Amino acid sequence: MMRKTLLPLILLAAVALLAALPVIGSRALVQDLFMVLCLLVLALNWNMLAGFAGLVSVGQQAFVGIGAYTMFACVILWGMDPLAGLLVGGLVAMALSVPVAFFTFRLNGAYFAIGTWVVAEIARLSLGQWKALGGGTGTSLPKGAAQEMWGAETVRALIGGSKAAAVDALTYWLALALVVVMLVASWAFLRSRMGLGLQAVRDNPMAARAVGVDPTRLKALVFLLTAFGTGICGGLLFIQIGRISPDAAFSLLDWTAFVIFIVVIGGIGTLPGPVVGVFVFYGLERLLADFGTVYLIVLGLIGIAIMLFARRGLWGSFLQHTGLDPLSLSHAAPRAGSAN
């Protein structure tokens, strides 16, 4: 009981400390942790898709790029505020995920994974033809667009820094808010009857269908919602970066391969797994940043070792050896004679 009482307090303290970093920490640290938080958002979405819905996609960079390009179009072509462009980017990514799901849901296993990658490549090549946004070479946000977006002046007054530092702080806080919303919403969803049905579909679709669960409907819902979250995160990333190109926005390595690595080493199919994985990834990145391609080789070797010797990831192994699960997703069995 005490552990259940302390856990929310520990989590709130951690969020409060992270929220205070733009005020008490350096700008370089804020920029680093912004990228960590964005990778965590992408990892939470991919984990929901692959770890809980059983949809192993290697094309989530499609929704990162679509969200980012939509945000740039909103700002450059239609004069919208970048923050409004974030929401539009998420909605466009979700809308485009409908025809993508219609095509890829006809495929299974490795064919589904390849199908999502093909869709991402089609999106990259198509947006590379959009001359108004720079074509294949890309374009940059208009000068001052990020520094004049909603809330930037308020943040600047709060932290007392430059306009660029205010943009970094604002995007950082938005990324932190996305992480908190994703974690809370994911936990609430997975603890619901619908979440239980989703996990049943992942484990045994035929048995789930036999007890009245509609696998296609649940998977489609998760696919659409993760596309929305991924699209918003893509727009947020490129507000901070300030420049976009097809290769950067649809990077398989940056927005999917690294994300898969984070989820695998942390623990796929567990809610805290991506959180553990992203901090391990960040630590390895800092430690091996000066070693060039050796850095990628080491990441690959670690990923292979985890898959061979700790298939449930670091968090899954922790649960297996200790039995402690502070964020349990288990459902209590119904009492005999209780109403359905």
Side-chain angles (χ1 to χ4, degrees), residues 82-147:
L83 295 187
L86 287 182
L87 180 60
V88 177
L91 292 172
V92 170
M94 183 169 65
L96 291 178
S97 71
V98 175
V100 172
F102 181 79
F103 165 68
T104 57
F105 276 29
R106 298 170 182 268
L107 307 171
N108 293 309
Y111 297 102
F112 174 84
I114 293 170
T116 56
W117 173 75
V118 169
V119 168
E121 285 299 293
I122 291 171
R124 180 181 68 84
L125 294 171
S126 299
L127 287 170
Q129 306 304 312
W130 198 349
K131 301 301 182 184
L133 293 181
T137 58
T139 188
S140 300
L141 283 174
K143 185 176 181 180
Q147 297 175 359

Coordinates of all heavy atoms in Angstrom, one line a residue, residues 82-147:
P82 N 3.1 28.2 -35.8 CA 3.7 26.8 -35.8 C 3.0 25.9 -34.8 O 2.8 24.7 -35.1 CB 5.1 27.1 -35.3 CG 5.5 28.4 -35.8 CD 4.2 29.2 -35.6
L83 N 2.5 26.4 -33.7 CA 1.8 25.5 -32.7 C 0.4 25.0 -33.3 O 0.0 23.9 -33.1 CB 1.6 26.2 -31.4 CG 2.8 26.6 -30.6 CD1 2.5 27.1 -29.2 CD2 3.8 25.4 -30.5
A84 N -0.2 25.9 -34.0 CA -1.5 25.5 -34.7 C -1.1 24.4 -35.8 O -1.8 23.5 -36.0 CB -2.2 26.7 -35.3
G85 N 0.0 24.7 -36.4 CA 0.5 23.7 -37.5 C 0.8 22.3 -36.9 O 0.6 21.3 -37.6
L86 N 1.2 22.3 -35.6 CA 1.4 21.0 -34.9 C 0.1 20.2 -34.9 O 0.1 19.0 -35.3 CB 1.9 21.2 -33.5 CG 3.3 21.7 -33.3 CD1 3.5 21.7 -31.7 CD2 4.3 20.7 -33.9
L87 N -1.0 20.8 -34.5 CA -2.2 20.1 -34.4 C -2.7 19.7 -35.8 O -3.2 18.5 -36.0 CB -3.3 21.0 -33.7 CG -4.7 20.4 -33.6 CD1 -4.6 19.1 -32.7 CD2 -5.6 21.4 -32.9
V88 N -2.6 20.6 -36.8 CA -3.0 20.2 -38.1 C -2.1 19.1 -38.7 O -2.7 18.1 -39.3 CB -2.9 21.4 -39.1 CG1 -3.2 21.1 -40.5 CG2 -3.8 22.6 -38.6
G89 N -0.8 19.1 -38.4 CA 0.0 18.0 -38.8 C -0.4 16.7 -38.2 O -0.4 15.6 -38.9
G90 N -0.8 16.6 -36.9 CA -1.2 15.4 -36.3 C -2.5 14.9 -36.9 O -2.7 13.7 -37.2
L91 N -3.4 15.8 -37.2 CA -4.7 15.5 -37.9 C -4.5 14.9 -39.3 O -5.2 14.0 -39.7 CB -5.7 16.7 -37.9 CG -6.1 17.1 -36.5 CD1 -6.9 18.4 -36.6 CD2 -7.0 16.0 -35.8
V92 N -3.6 15.6 -40.0 CA -3.3 15.1 -41.4 C -2.7 13.7 -41.4 O -3.0 12.8 -42.2 CB -2.4 16.1 -42.2 CG1 -2.0 15.5 -43.5 CG2 -3.2 17.4 -42.4
A93 N -1.7 13.5 -40.4 CA -1.1 12.2 -40.3 C -2.2 11.1 -40.0 O -2.1 10.0 -40.5 CB 0.0 12.3 -39.2
M94 N -3.1 11.5 -39.1 CA -4.1 10.5 -38.7 C -5.0 10.2 -39.9 O -5.4 9.1 -40.1 CB -4.9 11.0 -37.5 CG -6.0 10.0 -37.0 SD -6.7 10.5 -35.4 CE -7.5 12.0 -35.8
A95 N -5.4 11.3 -40.6 CA -6.3 11.1 -41.8 C -5.6 10.2 -42.9 O -6.2 9.4 -43.5 CB -6.6 12.5 -42.4
L96 N -4.3 10.5 -43.1 CA -3.6 9.7 -44.1 C -3.3 8.3 -43.6 O -3.1 7.4 -44.5 CB -2.3 10.4 -44.5 CG -2.5 11.7 -45.3 CD1 -1.1 12.3 -45.6 CD2 -3.2 11.4 -46.6
S97 N -3.4 8.0 -42.3 CA -3.2 6.7 -41.8 C -4.4 5.8 -42.2 O -4.2 4.5 -42.2 CB -3.0 6.7 -40.3 OG -4.2 7.0 -39.6
V98 N -5.5 6.3 -42.5 CA -6.7 5.5 -42.9 C -6.5 4.7 -44.2 O -6.6 3.5 -44.2 CB -8.0 6.4 -43.0 CG1 -9.2 5.6 -43.5 CG2 -8.3 7.0 -41.7
P99 N -6.1 5.4 -45.3 CA -5.8 4.6 -46.5 C -4.5 3.7 -46.3 O -4.5 2.6 -46.9 CB -5.5 5.7 -47.6 CG -5.2 6.9 -46.9 CD -6.0 6.9 -45.6
V100 N -3.6 4.2 -45.5 CA -2.4 3.3 -45.2 C -2.8 2.0 -44.5 O -2.4 0.9 -44.9 CB -1.4 4.1 -44.4 CG1 -0.2 3.1 -43.9 CG2 -0.8 5.2 -45.1
A101 N -3.7 2.2 -43.5 CA -4.2 1.0 -42.8 C -5.0 0.1 -43.8 O -4.9 -1.1 -43.7 CB -5.1 1.4 -41.6
F102 N -5.8 0.7 -44.6 CA -6.6 -0.1 -45.6 C -5.7 -1.0 -46.5 O -6.0 -2.1 -46.8 CB -7.4 0.9 -46.5 CG -8.3 0.1 -47.5 CD1 -9.5 -0.4 -47.1 CD2 -7.9 0.0 -48.8 CE1 -10.3 -1.1 -48.0 CE2 -8.7 -0.7 -49.7 CZ -9.9 -1.2 -49.3
F103 N -4.5 -0.5 -46.8 CA -3.6 -1.2 -47.6 C -2.8 -2.2 -46.8 O -2.7 -3.4 -47.1 CB -2.6 -0.3 -48.3 CG -1.4 -0.9 -48.9 CD1 -1.5 -1.8 -50.0 CD2 -0.1 -0.6 -48.4 CE1 -0.4 -2.4 -50.5 CE2 1.0 -1.2 -48.9 CZ 0.9 -2.1 -49.9
T104 N -2.2 -1.7 -45.7 CA -1.2 -2.6 -45.0 C -1.9 -3.6 -44.1 O -1.3 -4.7 -43.8 CB -0.3 -1.7 -44.1 OG1 -1.1 -0.9 -43.2 CG2 0.6 -0.8 -44.9
F105 N -3.2 -3.4 -43.7 CA -3.8 -4.4 -42.9 C -4.2 -5.7 -43.6 O -4.6 -6.7 -43.0 CB -5.1 -3.8 -42.2 CG -4.9 -3.0 -41.0 CD1 -3.6 -2.4 -40.8 CD2 -5.8 -2.9 -40.0 CE1 -3.4 -1.6 -39.6 CE2 -5.6 -2.2 -38.8 CZ -4.4 -1.5 -38.6
R106 N -4.0 -5.6 -44.9 CA -4.2 -6.8 -45.7 C -3.0 -7.7 -45.7 O -3.0 -8.8 -46.2 CB -4.6 -6.5 -47.2 CG -5.8 -5.7 -47.3 CD -6.0 -5.1 -48.7 NE -7.2 -4.3 -48.8 CZ -8.4 -4.8 -49.2 NH1 -8.5 -6.1 -49.5 NH2 -9.5 -4.0 -49.2
L107 N -1.9 -7.2 -45.0 CA -0.6 -7.9 -45.0 C -0.4 -8.4 -43.5 O -0.9 -7.8 -42.6 CB 0.5 -7.0 -45.4 CG 0.3 -6.3 -46.8 CD1 1.4 -5.3 -47.0 CD2 0.3 -7.4 -47.9
N108 N 0.4 -9.4 -43.4 CA 0.7 -10.0 -42.1 C 2.2 -10.1 -41.8 O 3.0 -10.3 -42.8 CB 0.0 -11.4 -41.9 CG -1.5 -11.3 -41.9 OD1 -2.1 -10.5 -41.2 ND2 -2.1 -12.1 -42.7
G109 N 2.6 -10.0 -40.6 CA 4.0 -10.3 -40.2 C 5.0 -9.4 -40.9 O 4.9 -8.2 -41.0
A110 N 6.0 -10.1 -41.5 CA 7.0 -9.3 -42.2 C 6.5 -8.6 -43.4 O 7.0 -7.5 -43.7 CB 8.1 -10.3 -42.7
Y111 N 5.4 -9.1 -44.0 CA 4.9 -8.3 -45.1 C 4.3 -7.0 -44.7 O 4.3 -6.0 -45.4 CB 3.8 -9.2 -45.8 CG 4.4 -10.5 -46.4 CD1 4.2 -11.7 -45.8 CD2 5.1 -10.4 -47.6 CE1 4.8 -12.9 -46.3 CE2 5.7 -11.6 -48.2 CZ 5.5 -12.8 -47.5 OH 6.0 -13.9 -48.0
F112 N 3.7 -7.0 -43.5 CA 3.1 -5.8 -43.0 C 4.3 -4.8 -42.7 O 4.1 -3.6 -43.1 CB 2.4 -6.0 -41.7 CG 1.9 -4.8 -41.0 CD1 0.7 -4.2 -41.3 CD2 2.7 -4.2 -39.9 CE1 0.3 -3.0 -40.7 CE2 2.2 -3.1 -39.3 CZ 1.0 -2.5 -39.7
A113 N 5.4 -5.2 -42.1 CA 6.5 -4.4 -41.9 C 7.0 -3.8 -43.2 O 7.3 -2.6 -43.2 CB 7.6 -5.2 -41.1
I114 N 7.2 -4.6 -44.2 CA 7.7 -4.1 -45.5 C 6.7 -3.2 -46.1 O 7.1 -2.1 -46.7 CB 8.0 -5.3 -46.4 CG1 9.2 -6.1 -45.8 CG2 8.3 -4.8 -47.8 CD1 9.4 -7.5 -46.5
G115 N 5.4 -3.5 -46.0 CA 4.4 -2.6 -46.5 C 4.5 -1.2 -45.9 O 4.3 -0.2 -46.7
T116 N 4.6 -1.1 -44.6 CA 4.7 0.2 -44.0 C 6.0 1.0 -44.4 O 5.9 2.2 -44.6 CB 4.7 0.1 -42.5 OG1 5.8 -0.8 -42.0 CG2 3.4 -0.5 -42.0
W117 N 7.1 0.3 -44.6 CA 8.3 0.9 -45.1 C 8.1 1.4 -46.5 O 8.5 2.6 -46.8 CB 9.5 -0.1 -45.1 CG 10.7 0.5 -45.7 CD1 11.5 1.4 -45.2 CD2 11.2 0.1 -47.0 NE1 12.6 1.7 -46.1 CE2 12.4 0.9 -47.2 CE3 10.8 -0.8 -48.0 CZ2 13.1 0.8 -48.3 CZ3 11.6 -0.9 -49.1 CH2 12.7 -0.1 -49.3
V118 N 7.4 0.7 -47.4 CA 7.1 1.1 -48.7 C 6.3 2.4 -48.7 O 6.5 3.3 -49.5 CB 6.5 0.0 -49.5 CG1 5.9 0.5 -50.9 CG2 7.4 -1.2 -49.8
V119 N 5.3 2.4 -47.9 CA 4.4 3.6 -47.8 C 5.3 4.8 -47.4 O 5.1 5.9 -47.9 CB 3.3 3.3 -46.8 CG1 2.6 4.7 -46.4 CG2 2.3 2.3 -47.3
A120 N 6.2 4.6 -46.4 CA 7.0 5.7 -46.0 C 7.9 6.2 -47.1 O 8.1 7.4 -47.3 CB 7.9 5.3 -44.8
E121 N 8.4 5.3 -47.9 CA 9.3 5.7 -49.1 C 8.4 6.5 -50.1 O 8.9 7.4 -50.7 CB 9.9 4.5 -49.7 CG 11.1 3.9 -48.9 CD 12.2 5.0 -48.7 OE1 12.8 5.3 -49.7 OE2 12.4 5.5 -47.6
I122 N 7.2 6.0 -50.3 CA 6.3 6.7 -51.3 C 6.1 8.1 -50.8 O 6.1 9.1 -51.6 CB 5.0 5.9 -51.5 CG1 5.3 4.6 -52.2 CG2 4.0 6.8 -52.2 CD1 4.1 3.7 -52.3
A123 N 5.8 8.3 -49.5 CA 5.6 9.6 -48.9 C 6.8 10.5 -49.1 O 6.7 11.7 -49.4 CB 5.2 9.5 -47.5
R124 N 8.0 9.9 -48.8 CA 9.2 10.7 -48.9 C 9.5 11.2 -50.4 O 9.8 12.3 -50.6 CB 10.4 9.8 -48.5 CG 11.8 10.6 -48.6 CD 12.9 9.7 -48.2 NE 13.1 8.6 -49.1 CZ 13.9 8.7 -50.2 NH1 14.5 9.8 -50.5 NH2 14.0 7.6 -51.0
L125 N 9.3 10.3 -51.3 CA 9.5 10.7 -52.7 C 8.4 11.7 -53.2 O 8.7 12.6 -54.0 CB 9.5 9.4 -53.6 CG 10.6 8.4 -53.4 CD1 10.4 7.1 -54.1 CD2 11.9 9.0 -53.8
S126 N 7.2 11.5 -52.7 CA 6.1 12.4 -53.1 C 6.3 13.8 -52.6 O 6.2 14.8 -53.4 CB 4.8 11.9 -52.7 OG 4.5 10.6 -53.2
L127 N 6.7 13.9 -51.3 CA 6.9 15.2 -50.8 C 8.2 15.9 -51.2 O 8.3 17.1 -51.2 CB 6.9 15.2 -49.2 CG 5.5 14.9 -48.6 CD1 5.5 14.6 -47.2 CD2 4.5 16.1 -48.9
G128 N 9.1 15.1 -51.7 CA 10.3 15.6 -52.4 C 10.0 16.3 -53.7 O 10.9 17.1 -54.2
Q129 N 8.8 16.2 -54.2 CA 8.4 16.9 -55.4 C 7.6 18.2 -55.1 O 7.2 18.9 -56.1 CB 7.5 16.0 -56.3 CG 8.1 14.6 -56.6 CD 9.4 14.7 -57.3 OE1 9.6 15.4 -58.2 NE2 10.4 13.9 -56.8
W130 N 7.4 18.5 -53.9 CA 6.6 19.7 -53.5 C 7.5 20.9 -53.6 O 8.3 21.3 -52.6 CB 6.1 19.5 -52.1 CG 5.0 20.4 -51.7 CD1 4.5 21.5 -52.5 CD2 4.1 20.4 -50.6 NE1 3.5 22.1 -51.8 CE2 3.2 21.4 -50.7 CE3 4.1 19.5 -49.5 CZ2 2.2 21.7 -49.7 CZ3 3.1 19.8 -48.5 CH2 2.2 20.8 -48.6
K131 N 7.5 21.5 -54.7 CA 8.4 22.7 -55.0 C 8.2 23.8 -54.1 O 9.2 24.6 -53.7 CB 8.3 23.1 -56.5 CG 8.6 22.0 -57.5 CD 10.0 21.5 -57.4 CE 10.2 20.5 -58.5 NZ 11.6 19.8 -58.3
A132 N 7.0 24.1 -53.6 CA 6.7 25.2 -52.7 C 7.4 25.0 -51.4 O 7.7 26.0 -50.7 CB 5.2 25.3 -52.5
L133 N 7.8 23.8 -51.0 CA 8.5 23.6 -49.8 C 10.0 23.1 -50.1 O 10.5 22.3 -49.3 CB 7.8 22.6 -48.9 CG 6.4 23.0 -48.4 CD1 5.8 22.0 -47.5 CD2 6.6 24.3 -47.6
G134 N 10.5 23.5 -51.2 CA 11.9 23.3 -51.5 C 12.2 22.0 -52.2 O 13.4 21.8 -52.5
G135 N 11.2 21.2 -52.6 CA 11.5 20.0 -53.3 C 12.5 19.1 -52.6 O 12.4 18.9 -51.4
G136 N 13.4 18.5 -53.3 CA 14.3 17.5 -52.7 C 15.3 18.1 -51.8 O 15.9 17.4 -51.0
T137 N 15.6 19.4 -51.9 CA 16.6 20.0 -51.0 C 16.0 20.6 -49.7 O 16.7 20.9 -48.8 CB 17.3 21.2 -51.7 OG1 16.3 22.1 -52.2 CG2 18.1 20.7 -53.0
G138 N 14.7 20.7 -49.7 CA 14.0 21.2 -48.5 C 14.0 22.7 -48.3 O 14.4 23.4 -49.2
T139 N 13.6 23.1 -47.2 CA 13.4 24.6 -46.9 C 13.5 24.8 -45.4 O 13.6 23.9 -44.6 CB 12.1 25.1 -47.4 OG1 12.0 26.5 -47.3 CG2 10.9 24.5 -46.6
S140 N 13.5 26.1 -45.0 CA 13.6 26.5 -43.6 C 12.4 27.2 -43.2 O 11.7 27.8 -44.1 CB 14.8 27.4 -43.4 OG 16.0 26.7 -43.7
L141 N 12.1 27.3 -41.9 CA 11.0 28.1 -41.4 C 11.4 29.6 -41.7 O 12.5 30.0 -41.6 CB 10.8 27.9 -39.9 CG 10.1 26.6 -39.5 CD1 10.1 26.5 -38.0 CD2 8.6 26.6 -40.0
P142 N 10.4 30.4 -41.9 CA 10.6 31.9 -42.1 C 11.3 32.4 -40.9 O 11.1 32.0 -39.7 CB 9.2 32.5 -42.3 CG 8.4 31.3 -42.7 CD 8.9 30.1 -42.1
K143 N 12.2 33.4 -41.1 CA 13.0 34.0 -40.0 C 12.0 34.5 -38.9 O 11.1 35.3 -39.2 CB 13.9 35.1 -40.5 CG 14.8 35.7 -39.5 CD 15.7 36.7 -40.1 CE 16.7 37.3 -39.0 NZ 17.6 38.3 -39.6
G144 N 12.2 34.1 -37.7 CA 11.4 34.6 -36.6 C 10.1 33.9 -36.4 O 9.4 34.2 -35.4
A145 N 9.8 32.9 -37.3 CA 8.5 32.2 -37.1 C 8.4 31.5 -35.8 O 7.4 31.6 -35.1 CB 8.2 31.3 -38.3
A146 N 9.5 30.8 -35.4 CA 9.5 30.0 -34.2 C 9.5 31.0 -33.0 O 8.9 30.7 -32.0 CB 10.6 29.1 -34.2
Q147 N 10.3 32.1 -33.1 CA 10.5 33.0 -32.0 C 9.2 33.8 -31.7 O 9.1 34.4 -30.6 CB 11.7 33.9 -32.2 CG 13.0 33.1 -32.3 CD 14.2 34.0 -32.7 OE1 14.0 35.2 -32.9 NE2 15.4 33.4 -32.8

